Amino acid sequence: MIISYGGTRNIFYCPSNKQFNSDLTWGYDTNNNVNFKITGYLWFVAGANQVLPMYYRTNLLGTPEQPPSKTELVLDDVVNLQGDYTYIKAGSLVGVPNIAQRTSHLIGSRPAGGNIMFEDTHVAWRKFQDMTNHFVGGGPIYQF
């Protein structure tokens, strides 16, 4: 939908991980007629493959306990596989050789944090040590 309103492929990838913005990730699994793109962000919208349904955002008005200004909608991938944040080779990337799915904002081999867009559309930086939510998505562990 974003593309149909004028968005370009570049907005789906963090500039700090330019290698990940490639034809291989953007056109992932088109041979099997799957309309699935691997991006550098987690999208908390219903049907997003990497996100558990409990995190789906279906009401953009928020709730009294969680208003739009405090509800995450899109965030940088902060992901690890067995403690490695620099190179994730998970089942979802089979057939995408030489492309590192990794945490975009690293200090050495450790994550610095990530940008988060909230339902009210403001964006804020969250330090890695302040990330409290973790979930497993088909092998890798996602954090926000």
Side-chain angles (χ1 to χ4, degrees):
M1 180 177 226
I2 294 171
I3 296 292
S4 65
Y5 283 97
T8 65
R9 177 173 113 179
N10 291 337
I11 67 172
F12 292 92
Y13 299 93
C14 183
S16 68
N17 188 0
K18 291 180 183 182
Q19 180 188 12
F20 206 54
N21 181 357
S22 79
D23 291 340
L24 293 172
T25 54
W26 185 249
Y28 177 73
D29 213 14
T30 54
N31 292 336
N32 294 318
N33 296 318
V34 175
N35 190 14
F36 181 77
K37 312 230 180 272
I38 300 171
T39 71
Y41 303 104
L42 286 178
W43 301 80
F44 286 15
V45 294
N49 289 353
Q50 298 99 331
V51 177
L52 297 174
M54 67 185 277
Y55 293 118
Y56 288 167
R57 306 305 187 211
T58 57
N59 177 1
L60 294 180
L61 299 176
T63 66
E65 299 80 29
Q66 193 76 3
S69 63
K70 296 183 188 254
T71 304
E72 300 95 341
L73 184 60
V74 181
L75 51 128
D76 276 322
D77 247 348
V78 178
V79 59
N80 79 80
L81 186 62
Q82 299 174 344
D84 186 354
Y85 292 88
T86 63
Y87 187 84
I88 311 301
K89 185 66 175 173
S92 63
L93 288 180
V94 172
V96 186
N98 303 317
I99 301 295
Q101 181 179 5
R102 66 167 174 84
T103 298
S104 292
H105 303 281
L106 296 171
I107 298 174
S109 62
R110 301 293 300 165
N115 292 299
I116 299 170
M117 184 178 84
F118 293 83
E119 284 186 342
D120 69 353
T121 71
H122 86 276
V123 176
W125 175 260
R126 184 175 291 164
K127 293 179 183 178
F128 178 68
Q129 63 262 28
D130 295 334
M131 294 182 177
T132 57
N133 297 300
H134 305 86
F135 65 89
V136 176
I141 298 173
Y142 295 91
Q143 296 166 256
F144 66 97

